Amino acid sequence: SQEKHQQRRNCHQRVREGGTVDGSAVPRAEGEEVGLCKDPPGSRPADLVQAKMVLSGGGGGSMYVLKDRVFNVKWRSDIDKACVVVNFERRGWHKWKESDQDDWNIWWASVYSTKQVFSSDSHVRLGDHQLINHFPNHYEITRKDLMVKNVKRYRKELQREGRDTSVLDIVPTTFVLPGDYALFAEEYRRKPNTTWILKPSARAQGKGIFLINKLSQVRKWYATQWPGAVKVNSSDAYVVSRYIQNPLLVGGKKFDLRLYVCVRSYRPLQAYKSSLCFARFCNFKYTEDEDDLDNAFVHLTNVAVQKHSDQYNENHGSKWPLESLKFYLKTNYGLKRTNKLMEDIDSLIVHTLKACQAVMINDRHCFELYGYDIIVDDALKPWLIEVNASPSLSATTDADRSLKFQLINDTLKCVAPRQWHTKQARGSGHHHHHQPSSSSPSSSSASPPNFLQGSPSPLAQHGSFTLLYDEVSQQQERLRLRREQEREQSDRPRWSTWGSSASVSGREPGRRSMSARGSFRH
């Protein structure tokens, strides 16, 4: 009818002007695609209006938009942190309820919930419109003992291939107790004046960590930790690592770096690094005195430890932005050495991920936000301390609160489909959802689109996250270089390899003697 035709024309006009079907404006950049999808699952044709998107500077595409609202994204979270909850709510996403059961789209889950989801007994099958923030066996890189095992295995693989293994000199000499106790004792006797640090394999926030410099201390601790044990639970295992006794100091105090890395896929590997990094300082000046080996405020940089110190400063939380640290390094060590340190840190992150790539279960519904802890020695060499699967999102200062909020915001930009970012995410934050009554035939909420069909090329930047490594691009670049080499070889004159004798005898390079022709014929 004419009325429906006019309605459709109005819809087209609103979309062309940058709005939705209901006429509300959605600011978007030139050429940006919004709402491109197939029919949302569970929706009826009567609830949808198809419109052609015509943007200045770009082509067209089809998008489906609910008459009453944009796609209803549902979120759930196991942690009640403001930086997570507020970032979900400001996008206009709806909180998951118990009555929704498996009807959710993004889940900021704990490692325990992730284990339950991917358990063989759960019989849970994630839909194409669902995301969860952990890979099924994320512990392959976040458990200290498994990370060391994977790095050693990766080193052996590179050695078999004849490749350079110096890039894997990123983890201090480490042994897993109790299994490697004999190897550790042998290494200790070779270097008796070395300090070692012992850490639980599956704990965080500085819990259970202590330093030793005598083998008798380890024997005594070993006897009390596993008295007469024949088999030890893997969760009770410890790692003992060579302690970095020459750390880089600023103002005489030890520090480490906390860096955030977002992994969208392991096969192919695709990782982003955030610029929202900082240094964590001890409250007491560093010393190698044996009397201070038990002083955690001297040796451990964990905020969970340092905040209990009398010298803890609540204004800055003993933290320093990475940019401030880089300025300090450039001033004292020069631009070249500072840039080399940053390149080495990037290489450390990439090779740690590649070391675990072969054993990691790459589920397309998963992403991961890792917290890397790295220490730098006085030669400006970075060393990997550990990788955290659930980096702390607690805020100790206003600056820390702002950083964590932006971190989660940029993580969602990096991993969530563009169709999920509705007008509420770009506007003033006020929600104007029209909720139809449950008795209405059009009340069935539309699920977000299937974003897993067709993986778009990764963007170079998502807020503070910059593309660190993209395996597909690396493979394409290697293929391009190989094709160039093959093209150069094919362009060389064919006679140059066998015509030299002809040129020496005075004949033209392109001509052969009768004997030569006969030999070829023979």
Side-chain angles (χ1 to χ4, degrees):
S1 65
Q2 292 185 357
E3 184 179 353
K4 289 183 179 180
H5 182 67
Q6 183 62 34
Q7 221 174 19
R8 192 177 296 109
R9 290 183 59 187
N10 293 340
C11 172
H12 283 228
Q13 181 64 27
R14 287 169 187 153
V15 173
R16 278 194 287 267
E17 292 173 355
T20 59
V21 175
D22 59 4
S24 54
V26 180
R28 59 174 179 253
E30 180 177 334
E32 181 183 358
E33 298 177 359
V34 290
L36 293 180
C37 66
K38 295 185 176 180
D39 292 0
S43 60
R44 304 178 347 152
D47 301 330
L48 303 171
V49 176
Q50 183 179 15
K52 289 291 182 181
M53 184 175 61
V54 182
L55 299 179
S56 57
S62 62
M63 79 170 177
Y64 290 93
V65 186
L66 283 176
K67 290 182 179 179
D68 298 314
R69 61 193 180 282
V70 191
F71 303 111
N72 184 9
V73 179
K74 292 182 181 179
W75 64 270
R76 60 184 298 186
S77 175
D78 291 340
I79 59 174
D80 189 21
K81 298 294 183 183
C83 58
V84 176
V85 174
V86 173
N87 268 296
F88 286 149
E89 292 179 343
R90 72 187 294 269
R91 284 171 163 76
W93 297 353
H94 297 270
K95 187 175 182 179
W96 172 87
K97 301 185 292 291
E98 291 286 345
S99 59
D100 293 330
Q101 298 181 351
D102 293 334
D103 184 18
W104 53 269
N105 304 114
I106 186 167
W107 187 355
W108 202 274
S110 64
V111 292
Y112 176 78
S113 296
T114 304
K115 182 179 179 180
Q116 298 300 313
V117 168
F118 292 105
S119 171
S120 58
D121 299 330
S122 66
H123 304 291
V124 174
R125 183 180 177 87
L126 297 181
D128 287 343
H129 55 278
Q130 290 182 310
L131 277 175
I132 192 168
N133 67 320
H134 291 297
F135 285 89
N137 58 336
H138 58 85
Y139 45 80
E140 291 286 350
I141 190 174
T142 56
R143 273 185 60 109
K144 302 176 185 67
D145 54 344
L146 296 180
M147 180 195 70
V148 171
K149 181 190 72 173
N150 288 321
V151 170
K152 290 180 179 179
R153 177 186 48 76
Y154 183 55
R155 181 191 296 273
K156 292 179 181 178
E157 290 179 0
L158 295 186
Q159 288 175 345
R160 284 196 299 267
E161 297 173 2
R163 297 167 60 185
D164 181 22
T165 59
S166 61
V167 294
L168 290 179
D169 188 21
I170 55 179
V171 180
T173 304
T174 303
F175 303 94
V176 180
L177 301 180
D180 296 340
Y181 177 78
L183 296 174
F184 163 67
E186 181 182 348
E187 180 69 18
Y188 179 87
R189 293 187 184 99
R190 288 200 313 113
K191 300 177 181 178
N193 297 323
T194 304
T195 301
W196 297 81
I197 183 169
L198 282 85
K199 307 175 185 178
S201 294
R203 302 183 71 181
Q205 298 183 336
K207 298 175 182 176
I209 298 178
F210 61 97
L211 278 68
I212 60 100
N213 60 355
K214 293 183 176 66
L215 193 59
S216 58
Q217 295 171 315
V218 182
R219 290 197 193 101
K220 183 178 179 180
W221 168 81
Y222 187 98
T224 57
Q225 183 73 16
W226 301 294
V230 178
K231 186 176 181 181
V232 178
N233 193 330
S234 62
S235 61
D236 297 329
Y238 267 68
V239 294
V240 53
S241 304
R242 179 180 62 83
Y243 185 62
I244 305 297
Q245 295 179 260
N246 59 330
L248 180 65
L249 305 177
V250 175
K253 296 181 179 180
K254 177 184 174 181
F255 70 93
D256 72 353
L257 298 175
R258 164 55 63 89
L259 298 95
Y260 297 102
V261 177
C262 180
V263 176
R264 290 173 48 166
S265 169
Y266 268 97
R267 284 187 296 276
L269 180 60
Q270 189 180 112
Y272 289 79
K273 188 184 77 170
S274 175
S275 60
L276 302 175
C277 311
F278 53 88
R280 306 180 299 183
F281 283 84
C282 292
N283 288 310
F284 288 80
K285 290 193 174 182
Y286 179 76
T287 175
E288 295 185 52
D289 194 341
E290 288 189 15
D291 296 335
D292 285 321
L293 275 183
D294 295 332
N295 191 344
F297 299 136
V298 172
H299 297 284
L300 304 185
T301 59
N302 305 75
V303 177
V305 174
Q306 295 295 330
K307 68 181 182 181
H308 298 294
S309 169
D310 295 336
Q311 298 187 18
Y312 178 73
N313 190 318
E314 295 183 354
N315 294 325
H316 55 66
S318 300
K319 296 177 182 179
W320 212 14
L322 181 61
E323 291 303 317
S324 299
L325 178 64
K326 288 169 65 175
F327 180 79
Y328 170 84
L329 294 175
K330 291 175 184 177
T331 304
N332 291 274
Y333 296 92
L335 177 63
K336 185 176 180 179
R337 294 190 65 187
T338 303
N339 290 341
K340 178 66 166 55
L341 171 62
M342 296 300 127
E343 292 173 2
D344 291 343
I345 289 175
D346 290 347
S347 174
L348 179 152
I349 295 172
V350 170
H351 283 289
T352 307
L353 296 173
K354 294 178 77 172
C356 303
Q357 184 181 20
V359 296
M360 194 70 68
I361 299 174
N362 185 62
D363 193 295
R364 59 180 182 172
H365 305 91
C366 303
F367 68 94
E368 197 92 41
L369 177 64
Y370 292 118
Y372 270 74
D373 292 341
I374 297 173
I375 191 170
V376 182
D377 63 20
D378 55 8
L380 295 192
K381 176 176 175 54
W383 297 93
L384 178 62
I385 301 176
E386 63 180 349
V387 182
N388 297 275
S390 301
S392 174
L393 298 178
S394 300
T396 55
T397 64
D398 291 340
D400 197 29
R401 187 175 296 106
S402 175
L403 181 145
K404 301 289 175 60
F405 182 90
Q406 186 179 350
L407 174 69
I408 300 301
N409 181 50
D410 294 341
T411 301
L412 295 177
K413 286 182 181 179
C414 190
V415 302
R418 288 170 295 181
Q419 294 92 330
W420 290 17
H421 299 286
T422 64
K423 59 185 178 182
Q424 286 79 12
R426 301 170 185 165
S428 60
H430 299 289
H431 304 168
H432 299 288
H433 288 287
H434 173 73
Q435 300 291 348
S437 62
S438 58
S439 60
S440 170
S442 63
S443 61
S444 59
S445 61
S447 300
N450 177 359
F451 63 92
L452 298 174
Q453 288 189 353
S455 54
S457 58
L459 298 179
Q461 191 162 0
H462 292 276
S464 63
F465 280 101
T466 304
L467 185 62
L468 176 64
Y469 186 85
D470 179 40
E471 192 169 23
V472 173
S473 300
Q474 295 286 334
Q475 293 172 349
Q476 291 175 346
E477 178 65 16
R478 287 195 294 268
L479 180 61
R480 185 188 64 81
L481 293 175
R482 188 170 64 189
R483 285 176 175 172
E484 286 185 357
Q485 293 175 355
E486 292 175 353
R487 192 179 301 112
E488 291 176 358
Q489 292 176 357
S490 64
D491 291 342
R492 293 176 182 174
R494 295 174 182 261
W495 50 265
S496 60
T497 56
W498 59 270
S500 56
S501 59
S503 61
V504 171
S505 60
R507 293 188 298 269
E508 293 181 6
R511 301 184 61 182
R512 298 194 298 271
S513 64
M514 293 295 293
S515 60
R517 288 198 295 270
S519 62
F520 278 115
R521 196 179 302 113
H522 177 71

